[in-house]
Amino acid sequence: MNRPLQTRKLLTIVCEAALEKRLEKELPQFGAHGYTISDARGSGAHGRRDAAWPASANIRVEVLCDEAVAETVIRHLEAQYFTSYQLVVFLSDVQVLRAEKF
């Protein structure tokens, strides 16, 4: 059986690793069914983040969800973390199988 692809949102958050435990608790509260967290390194407007010590570590959080969940999470991140933490948030349309899982 061929299942059709359906559109969902891919919410990507690149932020300080210090936020990991908070996000793990908060994302399900906002309706995210799951997430993926990985280490992230790079360079940008705030300089190089190489994770050489915990205070300079970054993570990348990816959430496949519907638009309402993505917007709720983005509003929360903006209100709670944008002024005190370095983070980048971006949203993409993606095509997924088994869309009911997201």
Side-chain angles (χ1 to χ4, degrees):
M1 174 165 102
N2 290 332
R3 292 183 183 206
L5 291 170
Q6 294 181 320
T7 302
R8 289 296 181 266
K9 296 294 185 182
L10 172 60
L11 173 61
T12 304
I13 307 159
V14 180
C15 64
E16 297 176 40
L19 292 177
E20 182 171 352
K21 295 296 181 200
R22 291 181 191 179
L23 294 176
E24 286 177 333
K25 181 180 177 184
E26 294 169 345
L27 290 172
Q29 293 173 351
F30 295 126
H33 296 184
Y35 52 84
T36 299
I37 298 176
S38 55
D39 293 327
R41 292 175 300 284
S43 181
H46 294 282
R48 182 163 173 72
R49 304 286 289 187
D50 61 8
W53 59 294
S56 70
N58 274 355
I59 57 172
R60 179 183 180 118
V61 182
E62 296 175 307
V63 182
L64 285 169
C65 57
D66 63 31
E67 188 169 0
V69 170
E71 289 177 3
T72 300
V73 172
I74 290 169
R75 282 194 302 274
H76 172 73
L77 295 172
E78 184 176 26
Q80 292 295 312
Y81 302 123
F82 273 26
T83 59
S84 300
Y85 295 90
Q86 295 175 9
L87 66 152
V88 174
V89 177
F90 52 96
L91 191 60
S92 308
D93 285 331
V94 294
Q95 300 294 307
V96 299
L97 286 172
R98 301 189 306 171
E100 67 278 1
K101 294 183 60 132
F102 311 108

